[in-house]
């Protein structure tokens, strides 16, 4: 999702906070499934706001990420030191991206070392869904042209990654939450397969992908 956000910003698309999941919903994510999946959702949102240097929104999203991280049990990755690094680097997009990337990598290591890879799978799946949704919502507003080609290609790459997300969830399908996420994502299988064979996607294709992703995202974000 962070790569997508960079390409969207570089292509000159206007900032659109309305495309993101509202931080006001975070307090309602109390189950493992909700907290983990939306930790991924908000991570993708954070990457987007950071890519546009939106200082207030960066702090708003990082606060909710820290809360969900505590629910999931990876608060050490999003500690006060993490918060300080974010605050100190507001306005420095590349550094902020590295900070959030590092925090999620640390959270993943923590979960793996404690045999909770199923939770990692939920976070990754949530981030994938949000990254694809944001990209389709924003990039489809402009035609494919030289300036936007890399942004369109990033959407193709995200669609191609669907298989890896599903493979990871399948490995942990004995976990009830991973099984639920697998079922929630299955309606996208046919669309993502078509995308893998369409390297020249245009705005109309992105609109169709968005229409398919909307109900899936709604199940996760509530």
């Amino acid at each position: 999702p962070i790569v997508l956000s960079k390409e969207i910003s570089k292509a000159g698309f206007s900032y659109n906070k309305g495309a993101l999941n509202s931080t006001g919903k975070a307090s309602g994510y109390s189950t493992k499934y909700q907290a983990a999946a939306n930790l991924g959702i908000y991570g993708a949102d954070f990457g987007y706001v950071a890519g546009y240097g939106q200082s207030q929104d960066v702090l708003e999203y990082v606060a909710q990420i820290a809360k969900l991280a505590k629910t999931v049990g990876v608060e050490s990755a999003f500690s006060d030191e993490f918060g300080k690094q974010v605050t100190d680097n507001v306005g420095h997009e590349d550094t902020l991206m590295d900070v959030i990337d590092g925090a999620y990598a640390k959270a993943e290591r923590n979960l793996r070392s404690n045999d909770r890879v199923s939770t990692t799978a939920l976070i990754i799946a949530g981030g994938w869904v949000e990254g694809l949704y944001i990209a389709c919502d924003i990039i489809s507003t402009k035609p494919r042209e030289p300036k936007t080609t890399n942004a369109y290609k990033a959407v193709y790459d995200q669609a191609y990654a669907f298989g890896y997300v599903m493979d990871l969830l399948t490995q942990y399908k004995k976990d009830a939450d991973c099984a639920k996420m697998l079922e929630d994502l299955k309606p996208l299988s046919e669309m993502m397969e078509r995308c893998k064979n369409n390297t020249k996607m245009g705005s109309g294709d992105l609109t169709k992908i968005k229409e398919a992703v909307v109900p899936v995202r709604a199940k996760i974000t509530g």
Side-chain angles (χ1 to χ4, degrees), residues 167-219:
D167 286 347
L168 180 60
L169 290 167
T170 300
Q171 288 180 48
Y172 298 93
K173 64 182 179 181
K174 289 183 179 179
D175 176 272
D177 290 316
C178 284
K180 172 175 167 50
M181 182 64 81
L182 267 173
E183 285 302 310
D184 287 348
L185 295 183
K186 269 185 181 177
L188 296 174
S189 295
E190 186 178 338
M191 175 68 75
M192 293 302 102
E193 192 60 33
R194 289 205 299 270
C195 291
K196 282 169 58 177
N197 299 311
N198 183 9
T199 58
K200 301 294 185 181
M201 288 189 289
S203 59
D205 296 304
L206 266 58
T207 298
K208 290 177 182 177
I209 297 171
K210 178 189 169 184
E211 290 171 353
V213 171
V214 165
V216 175
R217 179 180 184 258
K219 285 183 179 180

Side-chain angles (χ1 to χ4, degrees), residues 5-21:
S5 296
K6 285 182 177 179
E7 293 300 343
I8 291 170
S9 177
K10 285 195 297 185
F13 289 93
S14 299
Y15 179 68
N16 178 16
K17 188 178 180 180
L20 310 180
N21 189 36

